[in-house]
């Protein structure tokens, strides 16, 4: 019986995947600087909120070319080398901050580190393709998503405890844990990039955007995914504002409870949902995940007590798990191995664009309508996105069926 439980989906993976799982936990347990960036800019450096908002947007925008660079380097050098090199450089950029007083110079070094980490970001998705076969790809993405969130469940809490009195220590913690994770990858994860790319039509000069534009299905998928992330961004923007408006002085505390519920549900539900959806096509699962998002947004619209918000947060987390794992699988199925790094860099930009644009647009909308109406709008957009994914999935199914005859 135990062999058929939810955790059985993680059996039989290559050792390299387990090592990356551990390294992601360690790295994100020490990820204590970026969650505190807004407070560092305002409370420590002393910037006004409007300037902080502009800088936060600039930080995100400047990461786009670094993500594209990372995708190209993954396809040229292999994922392992990119992870080791640029995570090391990012960690080293944090170390001088540990000796500095809060200043614009500190902010610039944080931005530099974030851009260096952005170069490595596409490699974490691409390395899965290099290490596992198609039959294990969903399990591999699932365990790495689990490891990422296990670390994040701890890291921000550490940052919050140390922020007021020991700001400089945060930079050393982040750098050291990142370097430990790099050492694990360097010594214990094999480099299979050349083996996987041998014999492929390997065109290093082709851009990621040109690759996307060659495939109408990838264009539609990218647009729909942008909408998904626009709607998801309201979890971190509209929900805390609504919580403060509804629960007044308890708003921040209650929202932090919802964040904890999200983290716990990711840990508990990821193996179960991976087990249950093992045989499903990726876009079918992404469609279902979108419907879970929509349902949670409708509940947020009508919520008046904390318990209802907790239930809705759990429902939203189910959608989050289903979507995050299966989006990566769809990209892996659609894109030739030689282009996977560049494709993942575009995926990262699309995700970031949705999250960046969502608060800007809905912040403007909330000046004119209630939270309830705003959530209904977001839920409606989510339904449209889910229907789009359903149609795209049906088209791909008929295309594959026609090619098999």
């Amino acid at each position: 019986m135990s062999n058929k439980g939810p955790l059985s989906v993680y059996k039989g993976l290559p050792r390299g995947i387990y090592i990356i799982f551990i390294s992601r936990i360690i790295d994100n347990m020490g990820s204590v600087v970026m969650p505190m960036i807004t407070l560092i800019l305002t409370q420590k450096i002393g910037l006004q909120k409007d300037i902080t908002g502009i800088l936060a947007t600039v930080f995100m925008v400047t990461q786009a070319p670094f993500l594209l660079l990372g995708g190209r380097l993954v396809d040229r050098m292999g994922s392992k080398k990119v992870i080791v090199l640029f995570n090391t450089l990012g960690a080293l950029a944090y170390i001088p901050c540990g000796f500095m007083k809060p200043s614009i110079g500190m902010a610039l070094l944080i931005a530099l580190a974030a851009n260096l980490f952005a170069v490595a970001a596409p490699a974490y998705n691409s390395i899965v393709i290099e290490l596992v076969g198609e039959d294990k790809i969903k399990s591999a993405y699932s365990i790495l998503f689990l490891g990422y969130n296990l670390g994040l469940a701890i890291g921000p809490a550490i940052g919050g405890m140390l922020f007021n009195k020991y700001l400089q220590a945060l930079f050393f913690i982040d750098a050291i844990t990142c370097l430990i994770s790099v050492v694990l990858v360097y010594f214990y994860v094999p480099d299979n990039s050349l083996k996987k790319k041998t014999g492929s039509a390997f065109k290093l000069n082709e851009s990621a955007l040109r690759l996307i534009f060659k495939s109408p299905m990838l264009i539609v998928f990218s647009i729909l995914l942008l909408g998904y992330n626009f709607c998801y961004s309201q979890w971190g923007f509209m929900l805390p504002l609504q919580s403060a408006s509804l629960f007044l002085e308890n708003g921040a505390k209650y929202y932090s409870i919802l964040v904890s519920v999200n983290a716990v549900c990711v840990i508990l539900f990821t193996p179960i949902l991976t087990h249950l959806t093992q045989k499903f096509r990726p876009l079918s699962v992404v469609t279902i995940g979108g419907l879970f998002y929509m349902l949670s947004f409708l509940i947020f619209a009508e919520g008046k007590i904390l318990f209802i918000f907790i239930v809705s947060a759990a429902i939203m987390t189910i959608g989050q798990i289903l979507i995050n794992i299966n989006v990566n699988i769809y990209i892996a199925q659609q894109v030739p191995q030689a282009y996977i790094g560049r494709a993942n860099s575009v995926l990262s930009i699309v995700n970031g664009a949705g999250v960046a644009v969502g608060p800007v647009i809905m912040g403007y909308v909330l000046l004119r309508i209630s939270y309830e109406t705003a959530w209904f709008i977001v839920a409606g957009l989510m339904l449209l996105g889910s229907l789009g994914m359903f149609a795209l999935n049906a088209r791909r199914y008929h295309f594959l069926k026609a090619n098999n005859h």
Side-chain angles (χ1 to χ4, degrees), residues 65-109:
F66 288 91
L67 287 165
L68 292 173
L69 172 64
R72 185 174 289 270
L73 290 176
V74 165
D75 292 334
R76 181 183 292 273
M77 300 167 54
S79 300
K80 175 180 175 177
K81 292 185 181 72
V82 173
I83 290 172
V84 170
L85 175 59
F86 287 95
N87 276 353
T88 299
L89 292 174
L92 293 177
Y94 272 155
I95 291 176
C97 296
F99 298 99
M100 298 171 63
K101 292 183 178 179
S103 62
I104 294 298
M106 175 183 282
L108 292 175
L109 280 172

Side-chain angles (χ1 to χ4, degrees), residues 287-297 315-316 318-319 322:
T287 300
I288 295 168
L291 294 177
F292 273 98
Y293 271 3
M294 182 196 71
L295 177 59
S296 70
F297 298 155
I315 293 171
M316 191 214 68
I318 293 173
L322 295 174

